[in-house]
Amino acid sequence: MQVDKISFPRTLRELFHTLEQGNGRLIAGGTDVIPQMRTGRFQAEELIDLNGLEEMHFIDKRDGVIAIGCLTTFNEIAASSLLDDESPALVQAASLIGSKQTRNRGTIGGNIANASPAGDSLPPLLVMNAEVTLASHEGERKIPLSSLLQGPGRTAITPDEVIHHVSFSCLEQGTKSCFLRLGTRGGMAVSVASAALVLRLDQDDRVEDVRIALGAVAPTAIRCHSTEQSLMDQLLSEDIIEAAGFQAAEECMPITDIRGTASYRRHVVKGLVRRGLMTFTAKSR
Amino acid sequence: MDSITITLTINGKNKQIRTSPNATLLDLIRNDLGLTGTKDGCREGECGACTVLLDGRVINACLVFAWQADGVDVVTVEGLAENGRLHALQRAFIEQGAVQCGFCTPGMLISSYGLLKENPRPSEEQIRQALTGNLCRCTGYTKIIRAIQVAAEEMRDE
């Protein structure tokens, strides 16, 4: 590692000024940046530490919209009773990411910016139709997370921008969500495949709203729009649930890597989506 | 950039240290402060041998640059004993046979210390969850978990 210059902006203005000056690499929790610097995945002679920007460290609810500042750590998300009420899938995912040690440093902004195809916070955010607010010296712009994620490790964030916060609307009454994943360990494991689901049934028990997002089985975390369409207005019988699992497995584009083959991953997706839908039919939350 | 200077509190003592901008908090603790209780295992936050408390929270010292630790409060395994008396956790680890090669032990002690501060009555499952980020290749974890349970009980009685 060869760190030559370090900046500690205290305000966004200072941050944008620093970004304009050179090729500084942003660092917050450092749980991905430091290992990547060690393996040489990128060189960073200039580092910009975001931890002084308290204005990006918050969990807020206002007018039916939840906003989470980019510097919020995963332990803070996992411990948030507000988020547990409004987005249980995100809280479940947050509590499974890495270990206690990495969760005390790892931030949601970093997880989004890192854009790993297997990033565990991404499917829960996608099923919430999350939007990311990017800030630069030109102001702010909002972009759906689904558009922000462009490929493995690639996002639509421009070099002069920083993720300010991620936001999503609260779920309607009676809507449930959950997160499931498979890894070689219960914790501290990159997901082989993961799934986040949101579901609401109408008074006749027919599907009124369903959203399914998958992780680690495509170049980015993805929504299964076809499967969602097929489930609309359906009664969740065993056959329908089984079919949804198959369809989601068809919708994803897994690769074969050290964590599993593509066909194994499709098989896992079938199971995760099945189990996810079954949790909704089995209990009230 | 040749060096950086940071000030931090380490095991209750205020220190000012000059070190390399490439140094991690782990490098600072082991090399600049000479506190070799905290171990260098993997340097990528996977093994937990470098676990310390930073402002009261368990973290991997290998994933924090030294210059990110300016103004913080760090507790290492050397900071657990008080007035020459080993902490209940340290005594329990020894008495229960939870130490074999000892390499994971400082990290285990800090992780369990952090756990018991948050949750003085952890279930076995909660102990296991808390130790997710601490790997041991010798013991099979059984006696480590037992030691934490014994220490927790003693600490509750005190």
Side-chain angles (χ1 to χ4, degrees), chain A residues 151-169:
Chain A
R154 281 189 304 115
T155 67
I157 306 171
T158 62
D160 60 340
E161 282 179 319
V162 66
I163 297 175
H164 189 275
H165 64 271
V166 62
S167 55
F168 47 82
S169 299

Side-chain angles (χ1 to χ4, degrees), chain A residues 59-77:
Chain A
I59 301 174
D60 229 329
K61 179 179 172 179
R62 201 178 306 183
D63 299 327
V65 174
I66 302 280
I68 307 172
C70 72
L71 294 180
T72 310
T73 67
F74 283 109
N75 267 342
E76 286 164 351
I77 292 171

Side-chain angles (χ1 to χ4, degrees), chain A residues 84-101:
Chain A
D84 198 32
D85 284 335
E86 302 294 350
S87 56
L90 181 61
V91 166
Q92 283 161 22
S95 65
L96 290 170
I97 287 176
S99 63
K100 189 95 188 188
Q101 291 94 318

Side-chain angles (χ1 to χ4, degrees), chain B residues 13-65:
Chain B
K13 297 203 178 86
N14 227 19
K15 299 259 178 181
Q16 191 177 72
I17 305 134
R18 206 156 166 213
T19 189
S20 159
N22 299 324
T24 59
L25 179 60
L26 179 62
D27 297 326
L28 184 95
I29 289 170
R30 287 183 57 83
N31 303 332
D32 298 298
L33 290 170
L35 295 169
T36 53
T38 308
K39 305 304 181 196
D40 181 349
C42 71
R43 298 197 187 173
E44 48 181 35
E46 293 280 336
C47 75
C50 69
T51 307
V52 298
L53 287 180
L54 190 150
D55 288 340
R57 292 187 210 98
V58 294
I59 57 115
N60 293 122
C62 69
L63 293 184
V64 177
F65 278 112

Side-chain angles (χ1 to χ4, degrees), chain A residues 64-209:
Chain A
V65 174
I66 302 280
I68 307 172
C70 72
L71 294 180
T72 310
T73 67
F74 283 109
N75 267 342
E76 286 164 351
I77 292 171
S80 163
S81 47
L82 171 63
L83 291 178
D84 198 32
D85 284 335
E86 302 294 350
S87 56
L90 181 61
V91 166
Q92 283 161 22
S95 65
L96 290 170
I97 287 176
S99 63
K100 189 95 188 188
Q101 291 94 318
T102 49
R103 290 194 295 275
N104 271 330
R105 295 288 293 177
T107 63
I108 191 160
N111 206 225
I112 294 170
N114 200 43
S116 162
D120 284 326
S121 73
L122 305 175
L125 288 172
L126 283 180
V127 290
M128 298 301 291
N129 294 322
E131 291 184 306
V132 177
T133 299
L134 299 167
S136 73
H137 62 276
E138 286 174 7
E140 283 186 354
R141 65 173 176 128
K142 237 182 174 130
I143 173 173
L145 178 64
S146 49
S147 308
L148 188 85
L149 301 171
Q150 294 188 333
R154 281 189 304 115
T155 67
I157 306 171
T158 62
D160 60 340
E161 282 179 319
V162 66
I163 297 175
H164 189 275
H165 64 271
V166 62
S167 55
F168 47 82
S169 299
C170 297
L171 294 170
E172 256 185 64
Q173 268 281 30
T175 315
K176 305 158 210 162
S177 73
C178 72
F179 174 80
L180 308 96
R181 46 99 75 161
L182 182 80
T184 49
R185 277 187 66 189
M188 201 79 214
V190 177
S191 293
V192 170
S194 64
L197 296 93
V198 156
L199 184 80
R200 190 176 66 254
L201 305 175
D202 65 19
Q203 63 254 43
D204 300 315
D205 275 345
R206 290 186 174 275
V207 175
E208 195 171 58
D209 185 5

